Amino acid sequence: MAENKTKVTKLSVTAFIAAVADPTRRADARALVKLMKSATGEKPKMWGPSIVGFGSYHYKYESGREGDMPLIGFSPRKTATALYNMGGFAGSETLRAKLGSAEKGCLYIKKLAEVDQKALETLVAKSVGAMRKKHGS
């Protein structure tokens, strides 16, 4: 069975964010660190080379594959910032649709300044609660 590529590394979150080329995406990443740190009570860690994650949970599939993943996290990409594990509660689809494009538990935001900040805070807080309830972390 292949090893999970997404795992905690010793890379610096601060250095990773400082290296984000786009100044808007870099500022958005700093704001997301504050928001997600507040929602989780966890310090950010790098998961793989490009995901900033907060907290963790253990998963195990029926196939036997298992591993650890961040409770929530984000990755500043070229075209949008991806927010991971956004959902899992009643009304999450509606909130995600108000904020950006969404696929399953991911939300893609082009510019943080263009989204409803209260809705984003609600989505992040409720997503953390749903993930902790589901995974007992």
Side-chain angles (χ1 to χ4, degrees), residues 4-9 11-13 16-17 33 36 44-55 69-77 82-85 106:
N4 190 352
K5 293 178 186 175
T6 305
K7 55 187 171 184
V8 172
T9 70
L11 298 174
S12 165
V13 171
F16 170 72
I17 292 172
V33 165
M36 291 184 175
K45 294 181 181 177
M46 290 302 300
W47 287 75
S50 62
I51 296 173
V52 178
F54 298 79
M69 291 297 286
L71 201 59
I72 61 169
F74 70 90
S75 182
R77 297 180 179 174
L83 283 68
Y84 302 108
N85 296 333
C106 294

Coordinates of all heavy atoms in Angstrom, one line a residue, residues 4-9 11-13 16-17 33 36 44-55 69-77 82-85 106:
N4 N 1.1 7.6 2.6 CA 0.4 8.9 2.4 C 1.4 10.0 2.3 O 2.3 10.1 3.1 CB -0.4 9.1 3.7 CG -1.4 10.2 3.6 OD1 -1.3 11.0 2.6 ND2 -2.3 10.4 4.5
K5 N 1.3 10.8 1.2 CA 2.2 11.9 1.0 C 1.9 13.1 1.8 O 2.8 13.9 2.1 CB 2.2 12.3 -0.5 CG 2.7 11.2 -1.4 CD 2.5 11.7 -2.9 CE 2.9 10.5 -3.8 NZ 2.7 10.9 -5.2
T6 N 0.7 13.2 2.3 CA 0.3 14.4 3.1 C 0.4 14.0 4.6 O -0.4 13.3 5.1 CB -1.2 14.8 2.8 OG1 -1.3 15.0 1.4 CG2 -1.6 16.0 3.6
K7 N 1.6 14.5 5.1 CA 1.8 14.2 6.5 C 2.6 15.4 7.1 O 3.1 16.2 6.4 CB 2.5 12.9 6.8 CG 3.8 12.8 6.0 CD 4.4 11.4 6.2 CE 5.5 11.1 5.3 NZ 6.0 9.8 5.4
V8 N 2.6 15.5 8.4 CA 3.2 16.7 9.1 C 4.7 16.7 8.7 O 5.4 15.6 8.7 CB 3.0 16.6 10.6 CG1 3.9 17.6 11.3 CG2 1.6 16.7 11.0
T9 N 5.2 17.9 8.5 CA 6.6 18.1 8.2 C 7.2 19.1 9.2 O 6.4 19.7 10.0 CB 6.9 18.6 6.8 OG1 6.4 20.0 6.7 CG2 6.2 17.8 5.7
L11 N 8.7 21.7 8.1 CA 8.9 23.0 7.4 C 8.2 24.1 8.2 O 7.2 23.9 8.9 CB 8.2 22.8 6.0 CG 8.8 21.8 5.1 CD1 8.0 21.6 3.8 CD2 10.2 22.2 4.7
S12 N 8.7 25.3 8.0 CA 8.2 26.5 8.7 C 7.0 27.0 8.0 O 7.0 27.3 6.8 CB 9.3 27.5 8.7 OG 8.7 28.8 9.1
V13 N 5.9 27.2 8.7 CA 4.7 27.8 8.2 C 5.0 29.3 7.8 O 4.6 29.7 6.8 CB 3.5 27.7 9.2 CG1 2.3 28.6 8.8 CG2 3.1 26.3 9.4
F16 N 6.9 29.4 4.7 CA 6.1 29.0 3.5 C 5.2 30.2 3.1 O 5.1 30.5 1.9 CB 5.2 27.8 3.9 CG 4.2 27.4 2.9 CD1 4.5 26.9 1.7 CD2 2.8 27.7 3.2 CE1 3.5 26.6 0.7 CE2 1.9 27.4 2.2 CZ 2.2 26.9 1.0
I17 N 4.6 30.8 4.0 CA 3.7 31.9 3.7 C 4.4 33.1 3.2 O 4.0 33.7 2.2 CB 2.8 32.3 4.9 CG1 1.8 31.2 5.3 CG2 2.1 33.6 4.7 CD1 1.0 31.3 6.5
V33 N -4.5 31.9 8.9 CA -3.8 31.3 10.1 C -4.4 31.8 11.4 O -4.7 31.0 12.3 CB -2.3 31.6 10.0 CG1 -1.6 31.3 11.4 CG2 -1.6 30.8 8.9
M36 N -8.1 30.2 11.7 CA -8.1 28.8 12.0 C -7.4 28.4 13.3 O -7.8 27.5 14.0 CB -7.4 28.0 10.8 CG -8.3 28.0 9.6 SD -7.6 27.0 8.2 CE -8.9 27.2 7.0
P44 N -0.4 26.2 13.8 CA -0.4 25.7 12.4 C 0.9 24.8 12.2 O 1.9 25.1 12.8 CB -0.3 27.0 11.6 CG 0.3 28.0 12.5 CD -0.2 27.6 13.9
K45 N 0.7 23.8 11.4 CA 1.8 23.0 11.0 C 1.8 22.8 9.5 O 0.7 22.8 8.9 CB 1.8 21.6 11.7 CG 2.0 21.7 13.2 CD 1.9 20.3 13.8 CE 2.1 20.5 15.3 NZ 2.0 19.2 16.0
M46 N 2.9 22.5 8.9 CA 2.9 22.2 7.5 C 2.6 20.7 7.3 O 3.2 19.9 8.0 CB 4.3 22.5 6.8 CG 4.6 24.0 6.7 SD 3.4 25.0 5.7 CE 3.5 24.2 4.1
W47 N 1.7 20.4 6.4 CA 1.4 19.1 6.0 C 1.8 18.9 4.5 O 1.2 19.6 3.7 CB -0.1 18.8 6.1 CG -0.6 18.7 7.6 CD1 -0.7 19.7 8.5 CD2 -0.9 17.5 8.3 NE1 -1.1 19.2 9.7 CE2 -1.2 17.9 9.6 CE3 -1.0 16.2 7.9 CZ2 -1.6 16.9 10.5 CZ3 -1.4 15.3 8.8 CH2 -1.7 15.6 10.1
G48 N 2.8 18.1 4.3 CA 3.4 18.1 3.0 C 4.0 19.4 2.7 O 4.2 20.3 3.6
P49 N 4.3 19.7 1.4 CA 5.0 20.9 1.1 C 4.1 22.2 1.0 O 4.7 23.3 0.9 CB 5.7 20.6 -0.3 CG 4.7 19.6 -0.9 CD 4.2 18.8 0.3
S50 N 2.8 22.0 0.9 CA 2.0 23.2 0.6 C 0.6 23.3 1.3 O -0.2 24.1 1.0 CB 1.7 23.2 -0.9 OG 1.0 22.0 -1.3
I51 N 0.4 22.5 2.4 CA -0.8 22.6 3.2 C -0.5 23.1 4.6 O 0.3 22.5 5.3 CB -1.6 21.3 3.2 CG1 -2.0 20.9 1.8 CG2 -2.8 21.4 4.1 CD1 -2.7 19.5 1.7
V52 N -1.2 24.2 5.0 CA -1.1 24.6 6.4 C -2.3 24.0 7.1 O -3.4 24.3 6.8 CB -1.1 26.2 6.5 CG1 -1.1 26.6 7.9 CG2 0.0 26.8 5.6
G53 N -2.0 23.2 8.1 CA -3.0 22.4 8.8 C -3.1 22.7 10.3 O -2.1 23.1 10.9
F54 N -4.2 22.5 10.9 CA -4.5 22.8 12.3 C -5.1 21.5 12.9 O -6.1 21.0 12.4 CB -5.4 24.0 12.4 CG -4.8 25.2 11.9 CD1 -4.9 25.5 10.5 CD2 -4.2 26.1 12.7 CE1 -4.3 26.6 10.0 CE2 -3.7 27.3 12.2 CZ -3.7 27.5 10.8
G55 N -4.5 21.0 14.0 CA -5.0 19.8 14.6 C -4.8 18.6 13.7 O -4.2 18.7 12.7
M69 N -4.5 13.2 9.1 CA -4.7 14.4 8.3 C -5.0 15.6 9.2 O -5.5 15.4 10.3 CB -5.9 14.2 7.3 CG -5.6 13.1 6.2 SD -4.3 13.6 5.1 CE -5.1 14.9 4.1
P70 N -4.9 16.8 8.7 CA -5.2 18.0 9.5 C -6.7 18.1 9.7 O -7.5 17.7 8.8 CB -4.7 19.2 8.7 CG -4.5 18.7 7.3 CD -4.3 17.2 7.4
L71 N -7.1 18.5 10.8 CA -8.6 18.7 11.2 C -9.2 19.7 10.1 O -10.2 19.4 9.5 CB -8.7 19.3 12.6 CG -10.0 19.2 13.3 CD1 -10.4 17.7 13.5 CD2 -9.8 19.8 14.7
I72 N -8.5 20.8 10.0 CA -8.8 21.8 8.9 C -7.5 22.4 8.4 O -6.5 22.2 9.1 CB -9.8 22.9 9.3 CG1 -9.1 23.8 10.5 CG2 -11.1 22.4 9.7 CD1 -9.9 25.1 10.8
G73 N -7.5 23.0 7.2 CA -6.3 23.6 6.7 C -6.6 24.3 5.4 O -7.7 24.4 5.0
F74 N -5.5 24.9 4.9 CA -5.6 25.6 3.6 C -4.3 25.5 2.8 O -3.3 25.2 3.4 CB -6.0 27.1 3.9 CG -4.9 27.9 4.5 CD1 -4.0 28.6 3.7 CD2 -4.8 28.0 5.9 CE1 -3.0 29.3 4.3 CE2 -3.8 28.7 6.5 CZ -2.9 29.4 5.7
S75 N -4.4 25.8 1.6 CA -3.3 25.9 0.7 C -3.4 27.1 -0.3 O -4.4 27.1 -1.1 CB -3.1 24.6 -0.1 OG -1.9 24.6 -0.9
P76 N -2.5 28.0 -0.2 CA -2.6 29.2 -1.2 C -2.1 28.7 -2.5 O -0.9 28.4 -2.7 CB -1.7 30.2 -0.6 CG -0.9 29.5 0.4 CD -1.5 28.2 0.8
R77 N -3.0 28.5 -3.5 CA -2.6 28.1 -4.8 C -2.6 29.3 -5.8 O -3.0 30.4 -5.4 CB -3.6 27.1 -5.3 CG -3.6 25.8 -4.5 CD -4.6 24.8 -5.0 NE -4.6 23.6 -4.2 CZ -5.5 22.6 -4.4 NH1 -6.4 22.7 -5.4 NH2 -5.4 21.6 -3.7
A82 N -7.3 27.2 -1.4 CA -8.1 26.0 -1.1 C -8.2 25.9 0.4 O -7.2 25.8 1.1 CB -7.6 24.8 -1.7
L83 N -9.5 25.8 0.9 CA -9.7 25.5 2.4 C -10.2 24.1 2.5 O -11.2 23.7 1.8 CB -10.7 26.5 2.9 CG -10.2 27.9 3.3 CD1 -9.8 28.7 2.0 CD2 -11.2 28.7 4.1
Y84 N -9.6 23.3 3.3 CA -9.9 21.9 3.4 C -10.8 21.5 4.6 O -10.6 22.1 5.7 CB -8.6 21.0 3.5 CG -7.8 21.3 2.3 CD1 -6.6 22.0 2.4 CD2 -8.1 20.8 1.0 CE1 -5.8 22.2 1.3 CE2 -7.3 21.0 -0.1 CZ -6.2 21.7 0.0 OH -5.4 21.9 -1.0
N85 N -11.6 20.5 4.5 CA -12.5 20.0 5.5 C -13.5 21.1 6.0 O -13.8 21.2 7.1 CB -11.8 19.4 6.7 CG -10.9 18.2 6.3 OD1 -11.3 17.5 5.3 ND2 -9.8 18.0 7.0
C106 N -14.1 20.9 0.3 CA -13.2 22.0 0.0 C -13.9 23.2 -0.5 O -14.9 23.2 -1.1 CB -12.2 21.5 -1.1 SG -11.1 20.2 -0.6

